[in-house]
Amino acid sequence: PGHSEEVASLYEHCARAILNSLKFGEHGLPLIGSGDWNDGMNLVGEHGKGESVWLGFFLHEVLTRFTEVANTRGDIAWVERCQKEAARLRRNLEEHGWDGAWYRRAYFDDGSPLGSAVNPECQIDSLAQSWSVLSGAGDHERSRMAMEAVDERLVRRAQQASECEVTPC
């Protein structure tokens, strides 16, 4: 890496980061690339076409919060851009992220879903379900159903009870 001669404010850096993140795939969801925070997901979008449902919820949150920052600065063009992108993203999350009882995690480069009932493994991922709630971008009823699915499919109460007998909870 080199040292840039360009200087910009923190606000401008944030705006550029957001612009850079507005790259979407076939389903209108953010491209996942090969650098997902979860190293186990690094091959989902290694060819540049994979999309992330979780990242969609996270990006929605970023856009919503940056709308407030842009509004405080009187940057109406950015307010409108963030609102437009967030609304479009929310529609795409509901149309292409929902699997019938929970939100998918992603789409591979070839368009096949990950975190879907049709998958032999990783049928549900708690991250996408949680962020549907945290971001407020998920449909309220669907997010409720998704969190119930997390509770039913990912929480192991018997194991927790036996752990509590050995280790104070």
Side-chain angles (χ1 to χ4, degrees):
H3 183 68
S4 174
E5 298 297 322
E6 197 172 346
V7 177
S9 69
L10 178 60
Y11 179 82
E12 291 166 329
H13 280 284
C14 292
R16 288 179 185 185
I18 291 170
L19 277 175
N20 192 51
S21 71
L22 298 177
K23 296 175 184 166
F24 304 97
E26 166 182 334
H27 300 97
L29 301 172
L31 295 174
I32 193 170
S34 60
D36 189 86
W37 75 275
N38 179 341
D39 290 339
M41 300 286 187
N42 65 332
L43 301 179
V44 173
E46 70 176 327
H47 300 293
K49 294 181 180 180
E51 299 168 273
S52 174
V53 174
W54 163 77
L55 186 56
F57 286 122
F58 183 77
L59 180 56
H60 185 278
E61 177 73 4
V62 169
L63 291 164
T64 301
R65 292 195 180 232
F66 199 72
T67 297
E68 299 167 15
V69 174
N71 193 42
T72 301
R73 294 180 57 95
D75 191 346
I76 302 308
W78 258 101
V79 168
E80 292 171 354
R81 175 79 187 263
C82 288
Q83 289 174 336
K84 181 184 93 178
E85 295 289 351
R88 181 170 53 129
L89 186 52
R90 186 172 193 209
R91 284 190 305 274
N92 291 336
L93 285 163
E94 290 305 319
E95 184 176 347
H96 301 290
W98 185 247
D99 197 58
W102 58 78
Y103 289 97
R104 296 176 181 117
R105 173 62 170 86
Y107 285 92
F108 287 96
D109 285 316
D110 67 2
S112 60
L114 175 63
S116 171
V118 300
N119 297 129
E121 298 177 328
C122 190
Q123 291 183 338
I124 183 171
D125 182 289
S126 67
L127 196 59
Q129 316 325 309
S130 301
W131 273 91
S132 77
V133 175
L134 293 170
S135 68
D139 172 82
H140 180 74
E141 183 59 23
R142 285 181 171 183
S143 291
R144 185 191 60 72
M145 288 173 58
M147 293 307 294
E148 285 177 1
V150 165
D151 186 52
E152 291 169 14
R153 299 173 62 95
L154 297 179
V155 175
R156 294 186 181 150
R157 285 178 178 75
Q159 183 180 3
Q160 288 176 341
S162 65
E163 288 173 0
C164 289
E165 293 170 10
V166 177
T167 308
C169 291

